[in-house]
Each structure stands twice: as structure tokens, then as C-alpha cells.
Amino acid sequence: MGVMRIGHASLKVMDMDAAVKHYENVLGLKTTMKDKAGNVYLKCWDEWDKYSLILTPSDQAGLNHVAYKVEKDSDLDELQKKVEAWGVKTTVLPEGTLPSTGRMLQFNLPSGHEMRLYAMKEYVGTEVGTTNPDPWPDGLKGSGVHWLDHLLLMCEMNPEAGINTVADNTRFMTEALDFFLTEQVLVGPEGNMQAATWMARTTTPHDIAFVGGAKSGLHHIAFFLDSWHDVLKSADVMAKNKTKIDVAPTRHGITRGETIYFFDPSGNRNETFAGLGYLAQRDRPVTTWTEDQLWSGIFYHTGEAVPSFTEVYT
Ligand code: M3P
Ligand code: FE
């Protein structure tokens, strides 16, 4: 089957205690493991593998790598061949490179971001279990997010210099990893230049997204909530915790998500969002947003440009 879903994000943080507090108290993740190097591993209540977020101590913010889970160990060998044939160098990291995790196929996207694929991570179960489960567990903290859902990578784009790593990544993810395109923003005089793309392997509108920018980086990691009211409550939690809110609750035209953006204490952008948007299927026609309607795609209600939203990232 190949890639199943996003598995984890590894983020750099500058103040570990403040970061753990943020992801535990505001988002509602729980710490499941710490290692000797000072890395902290956390999971959401509705996830069954040991962790979906790694916080690593650093003197700056940003993404170390993003990892996706494949169905079978043999998928790693097959995908290694496809990725190498596409012209991207790979490394196999042995089991135990990350604790509780099997071997990983490591490579860099055309945009430079490090991606890893793995087939095995220690199973610990969700907080409601698998036998006659309650719909949600007691004692949820903060926003009580269900799972890490997707991330959005800023990708170097400089049309004058012929550089568009949004388009390169999109082709790579399609041809080497068998993702499919759900939505895109097309710009330029011919209206044919991909300035942003949303791509899926599951049946949700995106498991990863790419947006063009001056340099490559992390725009946000996003966590799933059930409802619009949960997004509102998530904003309440942020106000109570003095979390820096970037964009107050609103709706995306793109993916139809109901969303709020905010920052962790190091400045990494987070999103909590609700609404699975639509059933993303491989034969669904690609949705296109034109350059003049770009901001309606991003913030549907106002349709107004918020430059800091695409210019500030880690
Ligand atoms: C999302 C989403 C940008 C659009 C972001 C959209 C950065 O985060 O979940 O659909 O332009
Ligand atoms: Fe998002």
C-alpha cells in the first residue's frame, strides 16, 4: 500500500519546559517518553502509536524532519527504489535510531526538507482502548486534540531564477510516493505556475501541503478537532494560557477547514482545525484557486491578504 499517514513531526524548540507545557496544556498531548539527549516524545489521546511529536532542544525553532508511516516493512525497499529512480538520494537509518521505532528511509524533498518513512512504531493504544470504547477519555487537557493531521511546508520559489520547489515537490510526491493532488493555487501571467499545493494519501483533503516562499521552512503543524465549537474552545484555552494567536477562528476556502493558528513558545506555528472538508478520492477533480482569489482560498470570510501569515515562519 505504501504511505498510510503522517507519523510524526520532529520540531526544534528553544525552551524545552515551556514547549512541553504548551503542547501538554494548550494542545492536550501527553509526554510518553524522554531520551538521554533531552528529546521529549508526545502523543495525542486518539493516536495509538507511541508518539507523533518529538521536541528537540535547540537554539532556534523549525522542523528537523517529518515522518510518514508506510504499511509494510517491504514498502520501504520498494519506495527506496522509486525515490532513488526519481533522482533523490536516500539513506536507511537502522532500527532504534529513534526509540520505539523501526528502520527509517531518510531523504530530502526537492525543497530541502528532510522526510523519513518508517513501517514500525511501538503500539501503545488510544486512551479509550479498542473494547467498547467511550467517545472520549476523561481528564483531557486544553484543546484535547485527537491527532497530528498534516503539516504545511514553505518551499523556496523564485520564478525569475526558474526555481519552484512547490512544483518539484508536488511532482516528486506524485511520482515517487504516490500522493494525489487535491487543491492548488495557480499564479503567473499564464496562470499555470503552482504556488501552493495540497496533497493526500488518505481520504482527507491533505496529508501534506506546500506553499511557495522566499526560503524553505515550516509553516505549521496541524492537529485535528471534532467540531467548530472545539475550535472556539481551543481559542479560549489559548487566551487562558496567554498563547500567541496568529489568526483567530475562521474558515479556509481551501480544504474547507475551520481553523485557528497560533505559535508555540519558540515561534513554531500550530493549527488546530475541524472539518474533514470532503471525501478526498483519487478520481476527484483537482480544485484550483486563481491568483486573484488566493486570499479567499486562505481566509474565506474576508478574502483579505494577511502578509504575515505567509511571510512569518520557522
Ligand atoms: C491550511 C489548511 C496557506 C494555507 C493554509 C491552509 C498557508 O493550513 O489546513 O488547509 O496559505
Ligand atoms: Fe493546515
Side-chain angles (χ1 to χ4, degrees):
M1 178 201 174
V3 175
M4 288 196 294
R5 62 166 183 276
I6 194 166
H8 65 257
S10 173
L11 287 192
K12 291 182 264 210
V13 297
M14 292 170 323
D15 178 340
M16 186 57 76
D17 290 344
V20 170
K21 253 192 209 152
H22 169 81
Y23 287 99
E24 286 187 348
N25 296 346
V26 178
L27 279 299
L29 279 76
K30 280 191 177 160
T31 297
T32 54
M33 191 168 38
K34 292 179 184 177
D35 67 22
K36 286 199 190 86
N39 303 307
V40 178
Y41 301 75
L42 304 100
K43 79 181 270 293
C44 309
W45 70 266
D46 215 1
E47 292 170 334
W48 47 91
D49 286 345
K50 182 116 184 199
Y51 62 89
S52 60
L53 181 66
I54 310 174
L55 302 176
T56 75
S58 176
D59 55 5
Q60 53 179 0
L63 180 75
N64 294 307
H65 70 265
V66 58
Y68 284 77
K69 191 176 189 185
V70 301
E71 189 181 9
K72 300 189 295 281
D73 189 72
S74 58
D75 290 334
L76 297 175
D77 300 318
E78 281 166 33
L79 290 170
Q80 180 174 31
K81 283 190 210 116
K82 287 182 79 175
V83 169
E84 294 262 353
W86 201 88
V88 167
K89 244 181 59 59
T90 64
T91 307
V92 176
L93 304 171
E95 174 162 7
T97 302
L98 283 174
S100 303
T101 307
R103 68 186 182 125
M104 292 179 284
L105 183 66
Q106 177 194 44
F107 51 88
N108 292 98
L109 298 177
S111 55
H113 299 90
E114 181 182 337
M115 183 173 278
R116 299 183 185 183
L117 305 179
Y118 67 93
M120 195 286 286
K121 189 181 281 177
E122 187 187 338
Y123 173 87
V124 294
T126 73
E127 275 185 45
V128 293
T130 53
T131 307
N132 311 322
D134 293 314
W136 43 269
D138 290 333
L140 279 182
K141 272 194 178 174
S143 307
V145 294
H146 286 243
W147 58 74
L148 174 68
D149 186 88
H150 65 266
L151 88 180
L152 191 150
L153 302 176
M154 294 300 296
C155 302
E156 188 187 353
M157 184 167 175
N158 182 349
E160 286 88 62
I163 295 168
N164 182 357
T165 64
V166 171
D168 298 340
N169 278 7
T170 303
R171 213 161 54 76
F172 172 77
M173 296 298 283
T174 305
E175 294 171 3
L177 300 185
D178 204 22
F179 278 61
F180 62 99
L181 182 64
T182 56
E183 307 206 23
Q184 61 184 347
V185 174
L186 293 182
V187 302
E190 319 287 328
N192 61 359
M193 202 189 304
Q194 281 177 324
T197 59
W198 284 257
M199 305 194 77
R201 271 294 294 177
T202 63
T203 54
T204 68
H206 60 322
D207 298 305
I208 195 163
F210 307 115
V211 173
K215 62 177 174 57
S216 291
L218 172 68
H219 189 272
H220 67 265
I221 60 171
F223 297 90
F224 182 76
L225 290 171
D226 266 338
S227 73
W228 170 237
H229 191 262
D230 291 331
V231 175
L232 182 74
K233 199 165 164 200
S234 182
D236 296 342
V237 169
M238 289 170 212
K240 281 174 114 171
N241 285 274
K242 305 279 181 276
T243 303
K244 187 170 163 43
I245 292 179
D246 180 36
V247 178
T250 183
R251 181 200 279 281
H252 290 303
I254 298 162
T255 76
R256 302 183 191 146
E258 300 146 6
T259 179
I260 174 170
Y261 291 93
F262 51 103
F263 293 103
D264 79 6
S266 301
N268 294 304
R269 191 185 274 97
N270 296 165
E271 174 184 25
T272 51
F273 82 104
L276 289 174
Y278 46 79
L279 187 68
Q281 299 275 278
R282 287 185 170 272
D283 64 340
R284 184 182 179 277
V286 175
T287 297
T288 295
W289 296 84
T290 53
E291 194 162 2
D292 58 315
Q293 294 300 312
L294 160 64
W295 283 98
S296 297
I298 297 178
F299 301 125
Y300 183 66
H301 299 152
T302 60
E304 275 168 23
V306 181
S308 63
F309 185 65
T310 46
E311 286 164 12
V312 176
Y313 54 93
T314 56

